[in-house]
Amino acid sequence: MKMSPSVLLLGALIVFSASLAVGVILPAYTMNITSSKEWRNRTEIEEIGRTIYIANGCTGCHSQYVRTLDWGIGAQRIARIGDYVGEAPHLLGSERTGPDLSQQGGEHPDDWHVAHFINPRFTSPESIMPPFAFLKKAGRMKPLIAYVQSLGGKDADFRIERQQRWKKEAVAAYEAGPDANIKWLHSHVPGPWMELPNPYAATPASLARGHKIYQSFCIGCHGPIGDGQGPAAPSIYPPPLNFTTLRRTGVSGGALYYQIMNGITGTAMPYFKKHLESEKIWDVGNYVAQYFIGVVDSNKEPRGIDASYEGPLHKE
Ligand code: HEC
Ligand code: HEC
């Protein structure tokens, strides 16, 4: 056959329609999508929240799918086709400027989200997410939070139920006064951690690193002087801990580490085990202990074998 513009065009059309038929039309009519066991219908308010999510361009920075290769970034569960029944339009997204939100429900309690949406810098000081305080005035923040808390379906419901259960206890402990609150907080720290001193010497370098980490992760809630009066505080209940309430009882470096690592579910205190390497948690613990609590238990001998990168341990 002689190649002419019309033959070329015909050929292109045949290739295009064949791939359309095989890649799009055939699957659309033959795929039998059954919902996964975590899937559930959204409630009315969650559905409204979804439209607010779409209208505000959240998909521009947040994906809603987790791939097998994401096990390496701490995924909880890999997305399955049955998780997306009835999603039209789907909100998979392709950008991950912010974290994936497909399992966001119950990760934080509602009060954390209120503070975060008013201004993400309140809870996450170095965030580049834009503030959405205007949604509060328009009465749109509540449905948006309901939607975000539904992400993950029945797994999200399980986590939300756990948040609410612990919140009741945390509020009761907070309202019983500072001593009862500290007692409650520490009753959930396993014994060996309560006894463990901070194994990192509170050297000027450790404290300087701790200061930087505190500014990058903690200052919006616990405040620049550790009194719990950061800008997030008005939205959060029980409020961020005032570290000076620990002055009388004192607290081990191990207990601080445990709380920072795991967070306190039911309160806005997030876990930092995915964000901060172990040394950073010890460093920020030294910083909080030295400057806000006034009781530092690090620098204890014997220290074991020093890490290979450590220079001479100059102490404060
Ligand atoms: C310019 C990009 C950007 C946009 C737009 C954006 N975010 Fe974010 N988002 C981020 C970044 C970065 C983070 C991580 C830092 C933080 O916690 O703020 C984040 C964090 C979050 C988190 C907390 C995740 C976690 O587990 O800590 C939620 C929830 C969230 N965003 C929801 C939204 C919603 C809902 C919208 C739309 C109303 C939105 N974001 C719009 C960038 C963005
Ligand atoms: C979004 C707000 C928020 C952020 C961010 C935050 N905290 Fe907290 N923190 C809290 C709340 C709320 C509590 C618990 C208050 C209560 O139940 O009385 C708490 C409790 C704690 C405790 C428990 C103390 C104890 O003796 O049991 C420690 C330690 C702590 N925070 C350290 C930190 C450090 C270090 C950072 C930064 C790496 C940080 N927090 C970031 C809100 C926050």
Side-chain angles (χ1 to χ4, degrees), residues 16-235:
F16 177 73
S17 18
S19 30
L20 188 74
V22 174
V24 181
I25 300 172
L26 198 70
Y29 284 98
T30 55
M31 232 173 1
N32 180 16
I33 305 177
T34 48
S35 49
S36 58
K37 70 176 188 323
E38 290 79 10
W39 182 90
R40 69 158 169 79
N41 263 315
R42 273 187 293 274
T43 63
E44 203 176 318
I45 185 167
E46 289 161 6
E47 208 53 71
I48 297 169
R50 190 169 187 271
T51 62
I52 299 164
Y53 186 94
I54 296 169
N56 286 279
C58 312
T59 37
C61 289
H62 292 286
S63 64
Q64 282 192 27
Y65 62 93
V66 185
R67 302 153 300 179
T68 321
L69 63 91
D70 296 328
W71 285 128
I73 54 165
Q76 297 296 321
R77 179 177 179 281
I78 300 304
R80 290 184 206 124
I81 191 167
D83 298 348
Y84 299 94
V85 174
E87 290 279 292
H90 71 71
L91 305 178
L92 298 177
S94 60
E95 277 292 316
R96 281 193 182 165
T97 308
D100 181 89
L101 295 182
S102 58
Q103 291 295 320
Q104 183 61 34
E107 173 96 9
H108 300 283
D110 286 0
D111 56 350
W112 184 93
H113 284 291
V114 173
H116 181 248
F117 281 133
I118 291 176
N119 186 341
R121 260 68 61 203
F122 286 179
T123 58
S124 321
E126 291 185 346
S127 177
I128 57 156
M129 175 165 147
F132 288 95
F134 62 91
L135 292 175
K136 195 157 197 218
K137 289 190 206 105
R140 299 209 182 112
M141 196 174 283
K142 224 176 159 188
L144 181 64
I145 292 176
Y147 170 65
V148 166
Q149 295 286 43
S150 78
L151 293 172
K154 289 180 189 165
D155 280 1
D157 295 345
F158 171 84
R159 292 189 289 262
I160 292 284
E161 195 272 325
R162 181 168 52 201
Q163 287 282 7
Q164 287 166 349
R165 190 157 26 92
W166 283 105
K167 170 151 262 153
K168 264 195 216 126
E169 284 204 28
V171 166
Y174 175 72
E175 290 177 353
D179 288 339
N181 195 32
I182 299 294
K183 201 163 163 227
W184 179 80
L185 283 168
H186 292 173
S187 68
H188 302 292
V189 177
W193 290 93
M194 288 297 291
E195 309 293 319
L196 184 70
N198 191 322
Y200 282 74
T203 60
S206 165
L207 293 168
R209 287 193 298 264
H211 186 187
K212 175 73 179 71
I213 294 155
Y214 188 82
Q215 288 178 330
S216 304
F217 293 93
C218 325
I219 203 164
C221 285
H222 292 286
I225 55 167
D227 60 355
Q229 296 295 314
S235 311

